[in-house]
Amino acid sequence: MAEPIQDKIKRSLQAAKGLYHRLVLLVGETGSGKTAVLRDVAEELGVPVININLELSAQLLELTAKQRALHLSELLDQLAATGSSPLVLDNLEILFDKELKQDPLRLLQGISRNNSVVASWNGRAERGKLIYAEPGHPEYRSYDLVDTLIVNMVGKATVDTAMKTREVGDA
């Protein structure tokens, strides 16, 4: 019998404790059920799910476009500092907004140095790459899977620490 994805996430959180960035990404396409899985995990862990789009957009409204780009990282850090551990983050699309001129993965890695983080990633992980959007889309991003814990909505949980993916249970 296949291991429930919620258990894969919890096991990945345990494996993340030994990494510099304690970040677990739940990767799946739109409509794959990431939000429901995150809610289940958050409920089991006794922590809230933080809607990043909602929280940050409310704070960014009062700022000019230039101020938004300058202060986004600081606002995300403040949001992370007020949360419980682990942080469970959903709806990250605002981090990819081209007007904000940010590196979304780097932002998530930054807050995961001081706190374990589980975050949804609207995209896919394939052939050693973490992908957001399609090539040609203004928000398209592609990252190498190095020191990144991934739980796929359609596959097994993996960690890649030396450009070679291994199952988290073996990490």
Side-chain angles (χ1 to χ4, degrees), residues 10-26:
K10 290 186 286 187
R11 193 164 43 94
S12 296
L13 275 169
Q14 288 293 77
K17 289 181 180 179
L19 298 175
Y20 183 71
H21 297 115
R22 294 177 286 164
L23 175 63
V24 177
L25 295 176
L26 177 61

Side-chain angles (χ1 to χ4, degrees), residues 101-170:
K101 300 177 177 111
Q102 300 293 317
D103 182 337
L105 184 58
R106 184 171 298 216
L107 288 171
L108 293 172
Q109 288 173 330
I111 62 172
S112 72
R113 287 190 316 229
N114 298 320
N115 203 346
S116 294
V117 175
V118 178
S120 65
W121 185 276
N122 198 13
R124 60 192 187 280
E126 58 186 27
R127 295 187 296 268
K129 298 279 187 187
L130 180 64
I131 300 166
Y132 182 89
E134 295 297 322
H137 188 279
E139 296 175 348
Y140 171 76
R141 296 291 178 126
S142 177
Y143 298 95
D144 289 329
L145 288 178
V146 178
D147 291 334
T148 304
L149 283 164
I150 300 292
V151 177
N152 256 311
M153 289 296 293
V154 294
K156 60 184 172 182
T158 59
V159 62
D160 184 342
T161 56
M163 295 303 287
K164 186 169 94 176
T165 302
R166 297 179 290 153
E167 191 169 348
V168 169
D170 300 334

Side-chain angles (χ1 to χ4, degrees), residues 39-85:
R39 285 183 186 147
D40 289 347
V41 169
E43 185 176 319
E44 286 180 42
L45 297 174
V47 298
V49 176
I50 300 171
N51 182 329
I52 294 297
N53 286 345
L54 183 64
E55 297 292 333
L56 288 180
S57 62
Q59 295 178 40
L60 293 173
L61 275 175
E62 300 173 11
L63 304 175
T64 66
K66 184 176 181 178
Q67 288 174 325
R68 290 174 185 160
L70 291 172
H71 295 288
L72 179 67
S73 177
E74 177 184 319
L75 293 172
L76 188 60
D77 287 344
Q78 289 172 4
L79 184 61
T82 62
S84 50
S85 184

